[in-house]
C-alpha cells in the first residue's frame, strides 16, 4: 500500500514506519518536526534499508496538506500527528485544540476531497477518563479529564459522525494504553523534549544520569503494593498493531474503536524493579505525594484487537525494560549529537 503517515518522525510513528516498510508498504511521512527530529528518519532508513519520503510541513497549513495529496495517490493514512502532553494541554488549551482538532480537520477534508477513505487514528486510553472498572473494553463509558483527552474524544466523535454520513470510510480508532520501550536495534526510541512527564522516560533518564532521582507518585493506593497500575505496551507491538489495523481496514466498515494494550497491569514499583533488573543496579528513588488526577488502575481488555485485527502483544515487561535501556544507554541525549 501507499501510506501517508502524519507524525511519522515521532516516537510511535517512527517505529510504525519501520514495521510498514518491513511489510512492503511505500511510506511518506508528513511531520512539522515540532516534537521530533529528522534524525529519527535517518535511523528508520538505517534499520530498514529504505528511506521514507518526507514532507516537512504542518497539518495546520491546508495548502501543504492538499499538495501532499495532489502529489501522490495514497491508499491509506495513519494519523499520529498531534500534541500529547496532558499538563501542557491544561496550560495551553487553545494550542491543543487548534493543533489537534484543526490539523485533523484539514487532514480529513483533503482525504475526502482526494477519495482516500482508509484511516488509522491514534487515539488513547485517556478517552476512558477515570475508569470505574478494569479491564477496559471498548464499550466502557467515555469522558475527558483534560484538554488533551478532549481532543482525542472530539476527534473520535467527528470520525464516528463522518463514517455514519459517508459509508465509504473505513476507520480504526486505536486506543493505546501506555506505549514504552524502543526498537531492539537501539537506533530509535522515545526522546521527549524537556523534563519527561511519563514514567518510563523519567526512569531511563535517571538511569543514564540526566535526572537525579525518580519520584514515585503515591504508595497508598488500593493496589497490591500501593502504587498505580498501568498497561505498559512495547512500542514495537503497538507498531505491529497498526499494520494489523491497515490489513483489516477493508473488512471493517465505518468507524471501529480498538484497544491496543497487553491486558496486563503492572504497578509503578513493579516496572521500576524490572527496569533495575535490566540495568543491574538500583535507581535513586523516593516516594512522593500522589499526582493529582491519576487513575488508580487502567488496563485493557484486549479481546477485540485479537478478534478483529488478529493482533496480540508479544513482548513482556522484561523486553520492554531491556529495549528501553538499550536505546537510552546508546543515546543518552536522545537524537541530539
Ligand atoms: P510524538 O510527539 O513523538 O509524535 C507526534 C508527531 O506529530 C511529532 O513528530 C510531531 O512533530 C508531529 N506533529 C505534531 N503536530 C503536528 C502538526 N500540526 N503537523 C505536522 N506534524 C505534527 O508522540 P507519540 O508518542 O509518537 O504519539 C503519537 C500519537 O499517539 C499522538 O497522537 C498521541 O496523542 C498518541 N498517543 C500517544 C501516547 C503515548 O504515551 N506516547 C499514548 C496514547 C496516544
Ligand atoms: N509516575 C510516577 N513518577 C513519575 C511519572 C509517573 O510515579 O515521574 C506514575 C504515575 O503517577 C502513574 C504511572 O507512573 O501512576 C504512569 O504514569 P504516566 O504519566 O507514564 O502514564 P499515565 O498516568 O498517563 O497513564
Amino acid at each position: 500500500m501507499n501510506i501517508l503517515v502524519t507524525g511519522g518522525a515521532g516516537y510511535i510513528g517512527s517505529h510504525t514506519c519501520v514495521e510498514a516498510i518491513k511489510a512492503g508498504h511505500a511510506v511518506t511521512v508528513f511531520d512539522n518536526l515540532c516534537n521530533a527530529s529528522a534524525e529519527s528518519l535517518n535511523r528508520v532508513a538505517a534499520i530498514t534499508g529504505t528511506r521514507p519520503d518526507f514532507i516537512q510541513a504542518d497539518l495546520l497549513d491546508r495548502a501543504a496538506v492538499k499538495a501532499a495529496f495532489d502529489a501522490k495517490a495514497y491508499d491509506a493514512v495513519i494519523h499520529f500527528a498531534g500534541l500529547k502532553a496532558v499538563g501542557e494541554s491544561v496550560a495551553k488549551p487553545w494550542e491543543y485544540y487548534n493543533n489537534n482538532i484543526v490539523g485533523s480537520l484539514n487532514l480529513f477534508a483533503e482525504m475526502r476531497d482526494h477519495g482516500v477513505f482508509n484511516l488509522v487514528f491514534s487515539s488513547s486510553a485517556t478517552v476512558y477518563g477515570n475508569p470505574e472498572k478494569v479491564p477496559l473494553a471498548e464499550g466502557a463509558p467515555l469522558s475527558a479529564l483534560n484538554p488533551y483527552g478532549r481532543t482525542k474524544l472530539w476527534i473520535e466523535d467527528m470520525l464516528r459522525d463522518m463514517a455514519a454520513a459517508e459509508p465509504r470510510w473505513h476507520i480504526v480508532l486505536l486506543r493505546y494504553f501506555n506505549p514504552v520501550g524502543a526498537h531492539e536495534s537501539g537506533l530509535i526510541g522515545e526522546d521527549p523534549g524537556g523534563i519527561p512527564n511519563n514514567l518510563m522516560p523519567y526512569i531511563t533518564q535517571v538511569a543514564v544520569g540526566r535526572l537525579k532521582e525518580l519520584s514515585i507518585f503515591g504508595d497508598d493506593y488500593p493496589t497490591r503494593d500501593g502504587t498505580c497500575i498501568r498497561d505498559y505496551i512495547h512500542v514495537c507491538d503497538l507498531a505491529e498493531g497498526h499494520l494489523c489495523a491497515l490489513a483489516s481496514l477493508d473488512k471493517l466498515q465505518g468507524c471501529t474503536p480498538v484497544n491496543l494494550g497487553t491486558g496486563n497491569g503492572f504497578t509503578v514499583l513493579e516496572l521500576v524493579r524490572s527496569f533495575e533488573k535490566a540495568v543491574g543496579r538500583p535507581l535513586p528513588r523516593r516516594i512522593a505525594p500522589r499526582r493529582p488526577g491519576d487513575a488508580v488502575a487502567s488496563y485493557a481488555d484486549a479481546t477485540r484487537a485479537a478478534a478483529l485485527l488478529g493482533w496480540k502483544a508479544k513482548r513482556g515487561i522484561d523486553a520492554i525494560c531491556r529495549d528501553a535501556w538499550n536505546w537510552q544507554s546508546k543515546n543518552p541525549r536522545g537524537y541530539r549529537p
Side-chain angles (χ1 to χ4, degrees):
M1 276 195 242
N2 213 353
I3 307 166
L4 183 71
V5 182
T6 75
Y11 172 44
I12 305 168
S14 56
H15 289 80
T16 303
C17 287
V18 167
E19 294 306 322
I21 292 168
K22 269 170 49 188
H25 299 299
V27 174
T28 301
V29 168
F30 185 107
D31 197 306
N32 66 359
L33 302 183
C34 70
N35 195 38
S37 160
E39 176 60 16
S40 66
L41 299 178
N42 295 336
R43 308 283 183 94
V44 168
I47 295 168
T48 61
T50 303
R51 178 172 296 278
D53 286 347
F54 179 39
I55 301 168
Q56 184 175 345
D58 198 317
L59 283 179
L60 294 176
D61 178 352
R62 176 80 182 259
V65 183
K66 177 176 184 302
F69 282 92
D70 285 344
K72 236 184 237 179
Y74 295 104
D75 301 299
V77 173
I78 309 182
H79 179 31
F80 292 105
L83 300 175
K84 62 162 186 178
V86 170
E88 188 183 53
S89 80
V90 175
K92 298 180 178 173
W94 187 88
E95 282 75 5
Y96 271 67
Y97 291 124
N98 187 47
N99 191 73
N100 293 5
I101 304 285
V102 178
S104 296
L105 283 172
N106 284 344
L107 175 69
F108 304 154
E110 292 303 332
M111 287 180 70
R112 182 199 56 201
D113 292 353
H114 290 79
V116 183
F117 289 98
N118 291 323
L119 172 69
V120 176
F121 171 62
S122 294
S123 188
S124 165
T126 192
V127 299
Y128 297 119
N130 211 333
E132 276 162 28
K133 64 179 178 83
V134 282
L136 284 154
E138 288 80 356
L142 304 181
S143 68
L145 301 175
N146 49 62
Y148 166 69
R150 219 164 340 267
T151 66
K152 291 295 177 198
L153 202 51
W154 286 354
I155 294 167
E156 281 204 1
D157 283 338
M158 287 173 355
L159 290 171
R160 270 186 280 274
D161 291 340
M162 283 161 47
E166 165 59 82
R168 276 184 296 175
W169 282 102
H170 298 259
I171 302 169
V172 174
L173 310 170
L174 292 178
R175 295 180 180 155
Y176 313 154
F177 280 70
N178 291 58
V180 286
H183 191 264
E184 60 178 10
S185 63
L187 285 170
I188 54 174
E190 189 168 12
D191 182 22
I195 295 177
N197 299 303
N198 297 113
L199 179 61
M200 187 52 124
Y202 208 102
I203 294 177
T204 62
Q205 291 196 16
V206 169
V208 85
R210 272 171 72 177
L211 296 169
K212 239 174 54 199
E213 173 183 66
L214 172 70
S215 297
I216 293 173
F217 298 143
D219 68 347
D220 56 354
Y221 286 97
T223 62
R224 48 191 176 263
D225 61 21
T227 62
C228 292
I229 293 177
R230 296 287 182 277
D231 187 338
Y232 297 98
I233 172 168
H234 195 296
V235 66
C236 294
D237 279 328
L238 196 69
E240 288 168 13
H242 290 72
L243 274 290
C244 293
L246 272 185
S248 310
L249 275 175
D250 263 0
K251 63 170 198 250
L252 295 174
Q253 195 68 39
C255 185
T256 312
V258 180
N259 287 337
L260 289 187
T262 66
N264 299 313
F266 287 89
T267 69
V268 174
L269 275 172
E270 286 165 349
L271 184 73
V272 172
R273 290 200 189 103
S274 300
F275 192 84
E276 289 176 335
K277 200 171 86 189
V279 181
R281 58 185 156 86
L283 299 183
R285 54 177 157 101
R286 68 182 183 106
I287 304 298
R290 290 181 177 198
R291 183 172 70 176
D294 268 343
V296 180
S298 167
Y299 56 94
D301 176 337
T303 318
R304 183 181 286 184
L308 292 189
L309 310 184
W311 173 91
K312 210 170 165 326
K314 295 192 290 235
R315 298 158 180 90
I317 201 82
D318 289 337
I320 283 173
C321 292
R322 180 197 66 212
D323 293 340
W325 178 233
N326 184 39
W327 152 253
Q328 191 72 79
S329 54
K330 284 181 175 159
N331 306 270
R333 288 165 46 78
Y335 291 114
R336 284 165 291 279

